[in-house]
Amino acid sequence: MGAGVPKAFVPLAGVPLLEHALRGVLSCAAVVEVVVVAPESHRADARSIAEQVCREAASTSRVTAVVGGAARGDSVAAGLRALGAQVDIVLVHDAARCLTPVEVFDRVVAAVAAGAVAVVPGTAVVDTIKQVDEHGFVVGTPERSALRAVQTPQGFRRDVLERAHAVSSDATDDAGLVERLGERVLVVEGDPRALKVTTPADLDAAARLLGTP
């Protein structure tokens, strides 16, 4: 998918994944500020794309671009530090889930606003999942009906997310950090269109969703 090109800048139908993702973000009426976290090499490009999408959407949201860290959690922490003081609900979104529909953003925001401290969108798991040991032998089969495949945006009350990152930023997702605090994480309905684009096959699937060859 383009050696040396950060995932957010890989083109889908001729447009960077980041641009598609920002269109979804800025379609959510509750969003008042956007912080794009990018490598130093692509920070200017990220800012330019964000400003362009804002103009096209006639959005009044404040947009900034900051340099990320060595790991995913470090990048989220950097974005969190850049947010204005007035923001009390934080959405953490992966540009690789660039086709997430606005309805998912709205559901996550509404659930946090209604009192949940952490909210993630998720879809039912259709495959049977096996837990294996370090040698590859099966040690358990979780009940499929209780499993969810988690997506983004993940939503948080800001003070809770900041408290979680103050302890550690090392996790595959921010909900995991909040779970370590002993806080409950609510799952709301996700959407199949919020697929994560990480391989050429994913890129082809996303292009089909857009109706492009």
Side-chain angles (χ1 to χ4, degrees):
M1 281 183 52
V5 178
K7 187 165 47 181
F9 297 89
V10 170
L12 168 62
V15 175
L17 297 184
L18 176 60
E19 185 171 332
H20 288 288
L22 285 170
R23 288 173 182 165
V25 171
L26 292 170
S27 294
C28 179
V31 171
V32 298
E33 183 174 352
V34 177
V35 177
V36 180
V37 182
E40 177 63 52
S41 59
H42 286 71
R43 181 183 182 183
D45 292 335
R47 182 170 57 247
S48 177
I49 291 170
E51 290 172 349
Q52 173 193 327
V53 175
C54 268
R55 287 194 300 270
E56 292 174 352
S59 172
T60 58
S61 298
R62 174 176 175 259
V63 295
T64 56
V66 299
V67 176
R72 189 211 66 85
D74 300 322
S75 293
V76 173
L80 189 57
R81 288 192 296 270
L83 279 176
Q86 80 282 3
V87 176
D88 56 5
I89 294 177
V90 178
L91 300 179
V92 180
H93 189 43
D94 188 346
R97 297 189 185 275
C98 59
L99 300 183
T100 303
V102 67
E103 293 83 4
V104 177
F105 288 89
D106 291 340
R107 279 196 288 272
V108 171
V109 171
V112 179
V117 300
V119 179
V120 298
T123 58
V125 173
V126 297
D127 296 318
T128 296
I129 305 297
K130 297 290 186 181
Q131 181 182 357
V132 300
D133 64 17
E134 65 273 18
H135 303 293
F137 291 101
V138 173
V139 296
T141 304
E143 174 53 49
R144 188 168 60 188
S145 64
L147 298 177
R148 295 295 181 270
V150 173
Q151 303 172 331
T152 66
Q154 298 188 352
F156 305 92
R157 207 175 67 200
R158 181 175 183 165
D159 63 307
V160 172
L161 185 58
E162 288 179 333
R163 184 155 50 91
H165 274 276
V167 175
S168 171
S169 293
D170 184 17
T172 56
D173 74 342
D174 292 274
L177 298 178
V178 172
E179 290 168 41
R180 292 176 193 168
L181 296 178
E183 299 284 359
R184 300 181 73 191
V185 177
L186 175 67
V187 179
V188 297
E189 188 63 30
D191 193 287
R193 290 169 288 180
L195 79 165
K196 189 174 184 179
V197 179
T198 56
T199 68
D202 298 331
L203 201 59
D204 291 341
R208 288 194 294 272
L209 285 174
L210 284 174
T212 57

